Amino acid sequence: MQSVILKDFGGMPSEFGTNIFDNSTAFYNAINVLKQSGGGVLTVTKGTWYTGPIELFSNITLNLEKGAEISFLTDEERYLPVYTRWEGVDCFAMHPCIFANDQKNVIITGKGTINGNGQVWWKKRLANKKQQAPVTEIQCKFAKLNPGYEEQPSGGGGRNIQFLRPPLIQFYKCTDCAIEDVKVKNSPFWTIHPVYCENIAITGVRVENPAEDAPNTDGIDIDSCTNVLVKKCRIDVGDDAIVIKSGAGQSGIKAGIPCSNITVSGCSVYSGHGGIVLGSETAAGINNVVASDCEFFGTDRGIRIKTRRQRGGILQNLTFENLTIKDSLCPLAINMYYVCGANPDDKFLFSMEEQPVDEATPAIRDLTIRGIKATGCKASAGFIAGIPESPVENVRILDCTFETDEQSEKTPDCSEMFAGIPSVKEKSFRIINSKNLSIENTQITGPEEKFIYR
């Protein structure tokens, strides 16, 4: 197998405070040599290497030595449109910083760092949050490429104005790929995003995006994939940490590719809206998930499952075991009234009354939650809210402890992002619209009323 070094193709690292050298051509030429020869290893040596977006191909390994950093330039016009999935909808969006499209055996490895320089992107997103429609030339370009975007579902990342930021690393329709040991930080949008992939391993990776300043910077988003392992990763981000998805609304239903056979183990999460998360893009279903032996410190939620009417999909055969959850708002939140990206006054989406069932009605069933140790729960001991026409079904909670922080000023309404559900005062384990729920050998410490069924 051929091995090449970036600097041999005219690459040049840049020192902090000096003129930035653009290594886009060097990366392209080095990768092209490996592509033409059927694969090989591209090594990036110590130093900071600035570049535009990178595309990888079958049988290529990108190896970052210790002290090496690939740092992505932030000019929007560099990130030309590619057809992909963005917040659950198949559409044109900006080229990912690192992209592999319909490839096999792509590996990203080493002790170096991949830096998306997301600060520029985050500021733009915050600045344009009040926009109602596309304004800039690039936004209008994407609006033309994506007719009907106004009616497409969104999680609040910017679809309404077609500011479709790039993820840091995306494998799209790939097989037998891996990301190992690298540190990835400051992603413009979602950080690691395999879509429509099979046999993916993400191991020993560190993901860092500042929690307070980095909107929509999920850690690892596994999207309509089969056979994925996430192991011994450390995640500290500004949104959900480890996320499992399968498309949103009619786009996801049409694609019809579920997320299946997902294993998460030995991971640590230090901030985020949720530690291990399913949804809210659930249209094609999620099944056979096992998350075990993880620690979540200060995440808003520990186990988080979120969807709503019109999101669709069956979520089933889900196991969560031996998780330590400290200082969360709510350690276990199953929410079918998820509000982000929707009008909270929508009388259909957030009705507490039974509604007609169709292909876009979500279902959650067959969960085992075992050996959870949760302390310092600021808002509540737990939250399960099904919809009346599709209750959360066949949940078994056993050998768990949930301890609330009764001194916290956070109210039970902070347990999840929901609409339509009346408030309660106690930090109890709240259960709404559940069928065949079994709770065994489980202790709740803190609230006077341990469970609230309303």
Side-chain angles (χ1 to χ4, degrees):
M1 179 178 290
Q2 187 170 4
S3 295
V4 299
I5 299 174
L6 183 66
K7 66 181 180 181
D8 291 342
F9 291 81
M12 184 182 302
S14 300
E15 299 296 333
F16 181 78
T18 64
N19 292 331
I20 290 174
F21 182 82
D22 182 357
N23 289 283
S24 298
T25 300
F27 272 106
Y28 176 84
N29 289 337
I31 291 168
N32 192 53
V33 165
L34 296 178
K35 178 184 176 184
Q36 295 300 320
S37 65
V41 179
L42 169 58
T43 295
V44 182
T45 53
K46 184 178 180 180
T48 301
W49 306 80
Y50 287 92
T51 182
I54 295 170
E55 187 164 2
L56 298 175
F57 300 92
S58 292
N59 304 314
I60 291 178
T61 295
L62 177 62
N63 176 44
L64 287 79
E65 291 186 346
K66 185 176 180 180
E69 177 174 297
I70 299 174
S71 189
F72 285 93
L73 300 167
T74 58
D75 312 311
E76 285 185 47
E77 60 272 13
R78 291 175 177 269
Y79 297 85
L80 300 176
V82 296
Y83 195 76
T84 182
R85 173 178 273 183
W86 200 91
E87 277 197 340
V89 174
D90 293 332
C91 65
F92 286 94
M94 291 184 186
H95 192 296
C97 298
I98 297 178
F99 188 41
N101 182 0
D102 197 18
Q103 305 299 313
K104 297 180 179 180
N105 192 32
V106 176
I107 299 173
I108 300 171
T109 188
K111 300 297 184 181
T113 299
I114 299 170
N115 186 353
N117 290 310
Q119 295 88 341
V120 173
W121 301 92
W122 310 331
K123 288 179 181 178
K124 287 181 180 179
R125 175 58 188 143
L126 293 173
N128 63 30
K129 206 161 187 179
K130 293 183 180 180
Q131 269 182 239
Q132 300 301 312
V135 171
T136 70
E137 181 180 348
I138 291 176
Q139 291 169 8
C140 291
K141 179 180 181 179
F142 277 105
K144 290 180 180 179
L145 288 170
N146 296 319
Y149 71 89
E150 301 94 335
E151 305 303 319
Q152 294 171 342
S154 173
R159 187 185 307 282
N160 63 316
I161 62 170
Q162 290 292 280
F163 182 53
L164 307 180
R165 289 170 281 162
L168 189 52
I169 301 172
Q170 185 177 89
F171 294 154
Y172 182 79
K173 296 185 178 179
C174 293
T175 58
D176 302 319
C177 296
I179 306 173
E180 306 166 345
D181 299 331
V182 292
K183 178 179 177 180
V184 290
K185 67 178 186 178
N186 299 329
S187 178
F189 187 57
W190 294 356
T191 308
I192 297 173
H193 185 204
V195 187
Y196 300 139
C197 291
E198 294 184 11
N199 303 330
I200 304 295
I202 303 168
T203 59
V205 173
R206 295 180 63 183
V207 184
E208 296 182 4
N209 302 313
E212 299 300 323
D213 304 315
N216 314 112
T217 54
D218 294 5
I220 300 170
D221 291 88
I222 305 161
D223 200 344
S224 289
C225 295
T226 302
N227 299 332
V228 179
L229 171 67
V230 179
K231 187 175 182 179
K232 293 186 177 179
C233 294
R234 184 188 190 280
I235 301 172
D236 190 341
V237 294
D239 209 307
D240 290 325
I242 302 167
V243 198
I244 304 168
K245 301 175 178 288
S246 66
Q250 290 303 314
S251 177
I253 291 171
K254 181 180 179 180
I257 301 177
C259 226
S260 303
N261 303 335
I262 313 300
T263 301
V264 178
S265 69
C267 294
S268 300
V269 180
Y270 291 86
S271 69
H273 293 176
I276 176 70
V277 182
L278 280 64
S280 66
E281 296 87 352
T282 58
I286 298 170
N287 61 79
N288 300 333
V289 174
V290 177
S292 64
D293 303 305
C294 297
E295 296 179 313
F296 306 142
F297 303 97
T299 57
D300 290 346
R301 292 127 207 126
I303 303 164
R304 186 184 197 195
I305 302 175
K306 51 180 179 172
T307 187
R308 62 169 174 262
R309 295 179 177 109
Q310 295 184 348
R311 289 266 154 163
I314 299 173
L315 285 64
Q316 61 185 347
N317 299 330
L318 314 174
T319 300
F320 307 91
E321 56 187 0
N322 300 330
L323 306 179
T324 299
I325 304 168
K326 296 182 178 180
D327 301 324
S328 68
L329 292 173
C330 178
L332 168 61
I334 302 174
N335 177 22
M336 298 180 77
Y337 284 87
Y338 182 65
V339 69
C340 287
N343 178 1
D345 297 321
D346 189 302
K347 300 302 182 184
F348 170 73
L349 293 181
F350 303 113
S351 173
M352 293 291 286
E353 302 298 323
E354 188 169 333
Q355 301 297 315
V357 173
D358 59 21
E359 65 176 358
T361 303
I364 301 173
R365 63 194 184 206
D366 304 329
L367 284 74
T368 298
I369 300 163
R370 178 190 294 112
I372 308 303
K373 297 180 181 178
T375 57
C377 307
K378 297 180 178 65
S380 71
F383 178 84
I384 298 175
I387 49 179
E389 67 272 20
S390 182
V392 177
E393 192 170 356
N394 300 335
V395 179
R396 189 181 182 199
I397 302 173
L398 64 159
D399 303 327
C400 296
T401 58
F402 302 98
E403 179 183 313
T404 60
D405 177 3
E406 293 297 312
Q407 304 305 312
S408 170
E409 296 181 357
K410 298 293 184 180
T411 70
D413 284 353
C414 298
S415 299
E416 244 299 347
M417 300 174 181
F418 59 77
I421 298 175
S423 297
V424 295
K425 292 183 178 181
E426 279 212 73
K427 300 178 188 289
S428 310
F429 196 120
R430 190 176 186 189
I431 301 164
I432 304 167
N433 297 322
S434 178
K435 182 179 179 182
N436 297 332
L437 170 67
S438 172
I439 301 174
E440 308 168 32
N441 192 31
T442 291
Q443 296 181 344
I444 295 176
T445 304
E448 290 186 12
E449 189 174 1
K450 307 302 182 185
F451 296 94
I452 295 177
Y453 293 89
R454 63 177 183 274

